[in-house]
Amino acid sequence: MADRIYYPNAELAKTAYCNSMDQYKKMHEKSIKQPEEFWSEIAKQFYWETTSSNDKFFSYNFNRNEGDIFIKWMEGASTNISFNLLDKNVKCGNGDKIAFYWEGNDVEDYSRLTYRKLLEETCKFANVLKSKGVQKGDRVAIYMPMILELPIAMLACTRIGAVHSVIFAGYSSDSLAERVLDSKAKVLLTADGAWRGSKLLHLKSICDHAMDKVKSHGHNVESCIVISHLRRVTCPPGNTSDGGKTKNGTSNGSTSEVNLSWDDDRDCWWHEEMEDADSSCYPVWVAAEDPLFILYTSGSTGKPKGVLHTTAGYLIYAATTFKYVFDYKPNDVYWCTADIGWITGHTYVVYGPLVNGATSVLFEGTPFYPQNDRYWSVIEKYKVSQFYTAPTAIRSLMKFGDDLVKKYNLDSLKVLGSVGEPINSEAWLWFYNLIGHGKCSIVDTFWQTETGGHVVTPLPGATPMKPGSASFPFFGVLPELLDEDGKIIEGEGEGYLVFRQPWPGMMRSLYGNHERFQTTYFDKFNGFYCTGDGARRDSDGYLWVTGRIDDMLNVSGHLMSTAEVESVLAEHAAVSEAAVVSKPHPVKGQCLYCFITPNEGKNFDKQLQDELKKKIRERIGPFAQPDIIHHAPGLPKTRSGKIMRRILRKIAVGDRNVGDTSTLADEGIVDLLFQLRPEA
Ligand code: PRX
């Protein structure tokens, strides 16, 4: 079954924006050979305060021998993103259309927001930001749950040309502080707290710790604007609600009862600031290459990288990928389950859908609360037509059996999307047959924080699907596979996945560190953007992304660096050395497998293991918790002291076939580590 080719549903193909491989190939060829013409035609659909001349529409350098790397689209043009997403939609008759159905953590909490109201709230909050001294180019950090104020805050930043930096609200206070400090954010936006399933997240208190830490490093967050969220949502049964609603909907008191620490000079409530704010705000026109947002992603050195995206190119790329990859039509309801704290949420919860005038679901909760059928019930409730999620979610839901799915009417679905990691054929087939009833196209979208939008993906009305293959490049994208020496692999083969030329939505730099941008992505292969992923091309030309080939791990779709985890583990007083590798995991894709060498005289016991797990949770976030901690009295090192991770990966999976060990300083260590395997 997995080897079969699955053809797009003929009904869907009839009306699809791209409905055949011939059309795809023609469009793709034009986008590569005449990028100026291809993208300038698309750009005409949007509002530009000033336009770009043809000779300046696109320029770049991917070759370090010829100077600094740069990528520029639409030089000379100016626009405002919120104007294109909101004012333009309201003017085109979409004012009363629902932009977001908000579905809270609890089934009893839901609301909706029209495009007109979204514009009004965005303008009001833009005025609040202005009143806090935020100006064009200033950074605003956002640490929020999945609530309507989150896209409002992002769009309010774009309204006045401020640069948002959203930090996933599952990060610890240390991780938050590191990111706030790096971007020197002037303002921090958060909520008092949020329920995730039946767990309460104390967001404001995490922000307090982070702001203290930031201050101790010499930077001051001038204002912290807090949404009073807990009072308006239902408290999960068995919990005390700290001023929230009880299960029967009655109020349990006011937010003032929530035990928050408060700095009167710095902290204020969102709703109080919004009360008198003016509901109109003239947009600040920004240049095409002015920064739009920073989004941090893990870097292999352990220090997060502030990926910088700019205005015009990101806008046209988010718009075009959303339109073609999800084949969104005006009456569809689209749902992307990703958190806005990740790039998927930026491009495919906020920018892509809104610029297309789409109606989306914004979901605060988890797939498992109150029951393991929450996703299916939400699809039925809103008659979702495009459903975009991650392989790890699919795999974890498969476990609960098919009956839970069959209770619901999922007939509204047309396109299913997958993102974040390779999807195994078993999960693909379950998604296709059980969720999509064998009639929906699956778009397995390969991309990265850095790429801004999909770069290798099927198109639902055109591409015959092979389970597990992201298939072909999107418009404007020219992939190559290279061998270790940088030689291009033609036809069938496997190698480093790189891109030869920029597409509009690609990152422009790493915030405050252009040198790191150049060395990370362009030094390995001169003239190419290096993704850090490996891929295989089959005899039909399909691309199969095989996963990271650097020291990065992908746990449930969260990218992490081994160095980042190792440095936290090595900080523990009882730890002499730590080495982290990934191990395949049936649900998470990969999990963290940590080798720990204790200091002389220190015990490797359960207490130490628990302390190390806790430390990772506190320093990075709960999603980074290691699955296995392995006692390693020594590590396999070369004579020059380099840890041979290749061998550690073999030990992690119990594969005795470790290959050549002759370069090891102490060959005996390998046997010892096999003996000490925790599962042995
Ligand atoms: O390894 C690839 C994997 O996720 C990495 C990018 O992670 P991040 O920047 O956090 O963005 C995730 C969401 C776009 C990639 O380098 N990845 C993402 N999508 C796929 C994938 N691997 C295989 N197939 C995919 N569809």
Side-chain angles (χ1 to χ4, degrees), residues 65-77:
N65 296 335
E66 289 170 16
D68 280 347
I69 307 292
F70 74 90
I71 301 141
K72 287 183 185 168
W73 287 89
M74 299 189 71
E75 237 190 312

Side-chain angles (χ1 to χ4, degrees), residues 297 343-344 418-423 444-450 470 531 533 545 547-548 554 557 559:
T297 185
I343 190 68
T344 309
S418 168
V419 60
E421 51 179 313
I423 179 165
D444 174 359
T445 60
F446 167 81
W447 60 296
Q448 307 176 298
T449 307
E450 293 88 338
T531 59
D533 283 293
V545 179
R548 302 294 306 187
N554 192 328
L559 211 56

Side-chain angles (χ1 to χ4, degrees), residues 88-393:
K88 194 165 163 290
N89 267 309
V90 171
K91 284 193 174 86
C92 294
N94 274 344
D96 295 326
K97 188 170 177 183
I98 307 287
F100 289 114
Y101 287 110
W102 180 72
E103 174 79 9
N105 182 61
D106 196 282
V107 286
E108 288 173 19
D109 298 328
Y110 50 88
S111 62
R112 53 178 64 185
L113 194 63
T114 62
Y115 273 87
R116 194 185 320 284
K117 189 77 179 151
L118 182 55
L119 171 61
E120 193 184 308
E121 296 290 298
T122 296
C123 286
K124 282 173 81 173
F125 194 65
N127 286 323
V128 171
L129 288 174
K130 283 204 269 187
S131 76
K132 300 289 173 192
V134 177
Q135 296 177 354
K136 179 170 182 273
D138 285 345
R139 275 79 54 216
V140 174
I142 306 180
Y143 186 73
M144 276 196 201
M146 288 283 282
I147 54 179
L148 292 167
E149 286 84 353
L150 176 46
I152 291 169
M154 293 162 76
L155 296 175
C157 289
T158 71
R159 191 81 180 171
I160 58 173
V163 181
H164 60 70
S165 165
V166 181
I167 297 126
F168 172 58
Y171 272 118
S172 65
S173 60
D174 280 355
S175 297
L176 171 60
E178 191 175 11
R179 287 154 178 76
V180 170
L181 197 58
D182 188 75
S183 67
K184 302 269 182 305
K186 198 173 202 172
V187 173
L188 174 59
L189 313 176
T190 191
D192 48 356
W195 293 102
R196 207 163 156 68
S198 46
K199 190 166 174 260
L200 180 59
L201 306 178
H202 297 273
L203 300 176
K204 170 66 165 65
S205 123
I206 293 171
C207 286
D208 288 339
H209 287 121
M211 286 187 286
D212 285 349
K213 185 149 190 198
V214 165
K215 202 171 192 170
S216 71
H217 284 80
H219 175 68
N220 216 7
V221 173
E222 292 172 24
S223 311
C224 178
I225 307 177
V226 187
I227 293 140
S228 169
H229 181 51
L230 291 175
R231 90 195 134 106
R232 61 186 181 186
V233 294
T234 307
C235 172
N239 287 278
T240 47
S241 69
D242 261 359
K245 280 189 294 174
T246 55
K247 199 71 196 169
N248 63 14
T250 56
S251 173
N252 206 27
S254 75
T255 40
S256 58
E257 287 168 346
V258 180
N259 197 10
L260 296 181
S261 66
W262 205 256
D263 174 341
D264 283 332
D265 295 331
R266 185 196 62 195
D267 301 342
C268 58
W269 288 110
W270 172 293
H271 60 276
E272 288 177 3
E273 298 293 318
M274 289 286 269
E275 237 162 61
D276 302 321
D278 192 339
S279 61
S280 67
C281 175
Y282 191 74
V284 169
W285 305 114
V286 301
E289 285 299 340
D290 275 345
L292 171 62
F293 66 81
I294 303 166
L295 183 59
Y296 287 88
T297 185
S298 294
S300 55
T301 59
K303 190 175 156 19
K305 300 177 294 200
V307 169
L308 182 74
H309 283 285
T310 57
T311 302
Y314 179 83
L315 175 73
I316 58 179
Y317 201 67
T320 312
T321 48
F322 179 82
K323 172 177 167 180
Y324 284 96
V325 176
F326 298 114
D327 201 52
Y328 182 86
K329 296 285 161 47
N331 293 323
D332 289 346
V333 176
Y334 160 89
W335 182 22
C336 166
T337 63
D339 193 287
I340 292 176
W342 309 113
I343 190 68
T344 309
H346 277 59
T347 311
Y348 300 112
V349 177
V350 181
Y351 291 104
L354 292 177
V355 72
N356 279 283
T359 295
S360 305
V361 177
L362 183 72
F363 179 48
E364 186 191 25
T366 88
F368 318 110
Y369 183 84
Q371 307 293 340
N372 299 320
D373 56 359
R374 189 69 187 278
Y375 274 4
W376 324 129
S377 79
V378 171
I379 292 173
E380 180 182 272
K381 176 173 174 184
Y382 296 103
K383 300 195 170 46
V384 170
S385 21
Q386 288 89 357
F387 177 59
Y388 190 30
T389 193
T392 185

